[in-house]
Amino acid sequence: QPGHKGGEGCQKGGHGRATRLTPQVMSTMAMALRVVVPPHPLIGHWLAVLRDRHTPGPLYASATTELGRWLSYEALRDWLPHRSIQVDSPLATTEAEIVDGDVPLLALPLLTAGLGLWQGAQAVIPSAQVRHLGLQQQGIRGLDRPIPPRSGVLVFCATVATGEGLNQVLDRLAELGVRGDRLRVVTALASGPGLQLVGERHGDLTIYTAGIDPELDGDGQIVPGIGVVAERLFAGPLLEIAVPTA
């Protein structure tokens, strides 16, 4: 499984800031949800670009792509399966580390706004298999067939606002046997209430995000937030498949 040789992710190594929503904060949680906000200055920079209401659409799309790249790099740091091999350099034989291609990776961008993050992640994991997810009244499109038992799964959700849409995806993945260390979520921004809702049901999850905002408005939008991602990303309102807000 992913992470079989890489330690405990955000719990060790000093590579990210792990924000734990503990049982003292969420008494119904059986385990502490792990939320990693990597302290890299470029992650902070691109989040600032997304926050700015004056950012034009093409630059907003570029910032989303860059966050997808950097957050995926951080999510994979101690999780991506790897193994040692012997290679012949021009001068000598030496030991080297390579990604273990025998353990498949599956990328699950949540349509439509999650496509921006996934576009950046493709540069980091170009060989990953992809299933595009759509939240529908009758279920989740894209999760209607089994997932190989050894696959590591990355979910790309533009934001975690109310947490309801993400919970639907996680519930279905759990039914398919995917949870815990096999699973990571990458999101540009999360809200405190959304993380609480997700943590109450999926406390063994690890989420990588550029920031956490404290509240939601009456429409379920993150405040101060980064705006309506799908509209800003694609420069106009879209006919969304998704019913609930992620």
Side-chain angles (χ1 to χ4, degrees), residues 106-119 129-134 141 154-158:
L106 177 63
L108 302 176
L110 186 55
L111 297 177
T112 53
L115 290 174
L117 293 173
W118 166 236
Q119 184 174 353
Q129 301 175 8
V130 186
R131 293 191 199 177
H132 297 98
L133 305 186
R141 189 178 68 180
L154 280 166
V155 176
F156 295 90
C157 181

Side-chain angles (χ1 to χ4, degrees), residues 6-18 36-41 43 70-71 73-79 208-209:
E8 298 182 55
C10 69
Q11 295 181 342
K12 293 184 179 180
H15 298 309
R17 185 167 66 254
V36 183
V37 182
H40 199 291
I43 292 178
W70 286 98
L71 289 171
Y73 173 84
E74 294 291 340
L76 294 167
R77 182 194 294 270
D78 294 325
W79 187 67
Y208 284 78
T209 183

Side-chain angles (χ1 to χ4, degrees), residues 68-182:
R69 186 192 331 274
W70 286 98
L71 289 171
S72 296
Y73 173 84
E74 294 291 340
L76 294 167
R77 182 194 294 270
D78 294 325
W79 187 67
L80 191 65
H82 54 279
R83 59 186 176 88
S84 298
I85 63 168
Q86 294 289 321
V87 297
D88 295 324
S89 82
L91 297 180
T93 299
T94 186
E95 187 173 286
E97 295 287 325
I98 64 169
V99 173
D100 189 351
D102 292 334
V103 180
L105 293 175
L106 177 63
L108 302 176
L110 186 55
L111 297 177
T112 53
L115 290 174
L117 293 173
W118 166 236
Q119 184 174 353
Q122 281 182 298
V124 182
I125 45 174
S127 61
Q129 301 175 8
V130 186
R131 293 191 199 177
H132 297 98
L133 305 186
L135 299 179
Q136 300 175 315
Q137 291 283 8
Q138 63 271 30
I140 302 172
R141 189 178 68 180
L143 291 179
D144 51 356
R145 60 187 187 276
I147 292 175
R150 298 181 67 230
S151 294
V153 177
L154 280 166
V155 176
F156 295 90
C157 181
T159 62
V160 178
T162 66
E164 294 174 2
L166 180 57
N167 262 351
Q168 288 188 29
V169 172
L170 297 175
D171 288 347
R172 177 58 181 150
L173 286 172
E175 292 174 358
L176 294 172
V178 179
R179 64 182 310 142
D181 197 48
R182 288 185 61 196

Side-chain angles (χ1 to χ4, degrees), residues 232-245:
R232 297 188 71 187
L233 190 61
F234 300 104
L238 297 173
L239 181 61
E240 289 281 1
I241 299 173
V243 177
T245 304

